[in-house]
Amino acid sequence: MKHSLFDILIRPGAFFQDAIAEKVSLKIPGLIVLVLGIVSAVYAYLVSGVTGKLMAGVLPSGMDTVIAISSALFALILIFIFWAIWAGVFYFISSFLKGNGTYKRTLEFIGYGYLPQIFGAILTLIVAIQYIPRIVVPQLATGAIQEDPQIVQEAINTLMHDPAMMEMTQIISIISIVFLLWSANIWISGIRNARQLSERDSALCVGIPVVLYIIYMIYSMTGI
């Protein structure tokens, strides 16, 4: 391949025009997604520690560690699931635009487009490391959940409205949106080559679901 991975970030069109001539391979895209998944898993482990601290008084000893590890594994797996889903959505939409090309090629090129999100995940991790120690976690007394199950929900609401937690969530959401848009720009070039679409059709194919997802993220962040 004539172009390096760095070209994905700044010249995705040239990269994919070169890559389309190569045999389909999921090795490098899979590694990109794996690295993103590992960073995301570390973030999930740290955040779940806050929840574990909240529930420390009502959970059996050591359960907080189990929850943290489970959250990390789930985050890792979820990244691969999202990879397949995004590729599937773009492939499906492009079928209505008379796209021509295999799902495997689409999956490959969408995987390459995850590269910017590694940098976003690292920034997210840095933000979490800075903010998590500042979060004030409500304490639940042993037996409180048996006396009043509603108290757990109230404690969770208090935690989610903690100033440090809210600020961290907002910053991370903004980071996620920015780097998702960067990925979307790469995906447009990727789907154009993978499915042999025009610039307009590839922009519609990628832009519509990405914009809808961003609207959902903003809705979740603001609670509008």
Side-chain angles (χ1 to χ4, degrees):
M1 188 177 292
K2 298 177 183 178
H3 296 89
S4 67
L5 287 179
F6 183 73
D7 288 313
I8 297 174
L9 302 175
I10 59 174
R11 295 192 301 167
F15 177 87
F16 289 119
Q17 285 175 10
D18 181 26
I20 195 67
E22 303 289 333
K23 183 179 178 180
V24 177
S25 174
L26 299 178
K27 182 179 179 180
I28 295 178
L31 288 174
I32 290 172
V33 176
L34 177 61
V35 172
L36 175 60
I38 291 173
V39 179
S40 299
V42 175
Y43 167 74
Y45 182 88
L46 293 177
V47 173
S48 64
V50 177
T51 306
K53 187 176 179 181
L54 171 67
M55 303 297 293
V58 298
L59 291 176
S61 178
M63 186 57 67
D64 55 337
T65 301
V66 173
I67 292 174
I69 294 175
S70 299
S71 298
L73 290 175
F74 180 73
L76 176 60
I77 295 171
L78 192 62
I79 293 298
F80 283 90
I81 293 175
F82 264 96
W83 176 24
I85 290 175
W86 277 121
V89 169
F90 299 152
Y91 185 87
F92 177 75
I93 295 176
S94 64
S95 297
F96 291 95
L97 300 172
K98 299 181 180 181
N100 182 29
T102 65
Y103 172 76
K104 189 174 182 180
R105 177 66 85 181
T106 301
L107 187 66
E108 176 192 14
F109 283 9
I110 297 308
Y112 280 120
Y114 269 97
L115 186 59
Q117 294 192 47
I118 293 177
F119 303 112
I122 292 173
L123 283 177
T124 293
L125 187 57
I126 292 172
V127 170
I129 291 173
Q130 294 296 318
Y131 274 88
I132 287 176
R134 295 163 49 186
I135 297 173
V136 178
V137 181
Q139 298 297 311
L140 290 174
T142 303
I145 190 171
Q146 285 81 15
E147 296 176 5
D148 184 7
Q150 185 64 27
I151 198 171
V152 176
Q153 184 60 49
E154 292 175 357
I156 293 174
N157 290 336
T158 300
L159 174 63
M160 297 308 297
H161 287 86
D162 176 83
M165 174 66 85
M166 292 180 65
E167 189 172 340
M168 182 184 77
T169 301
Q170 291 170 353
I171 293 173
I172 288 175
S173 296
I174 292 171
I175 292 173
S176 298
I177 290 172
V178 168
F179 283 90
L180 176 58
L181 287 172
W182 192 352
S183 283
N185 180 62
I186 296 172
W187 288 339
I188 290 173
S189 295
I191 204 70
R192 184 174 71 248
N193 287 275
R195 297 286 283 158
Q196 300 177 27
L197 297 173
S198 67
E199 183 73 31
R200 172 186 173 276
D201 287 348
S202 56
L204 288 173
C205 180
V206 173
I208 292 174
V210 167
V211 168
L212 289 175
Y213 184 68
I214 289 175
I215 291 173
Y216 167 76
M217 290 177 65
I218 294 174
Y219 174 83
S220 299
M221 177 177 63
T222 60
I224 296 174

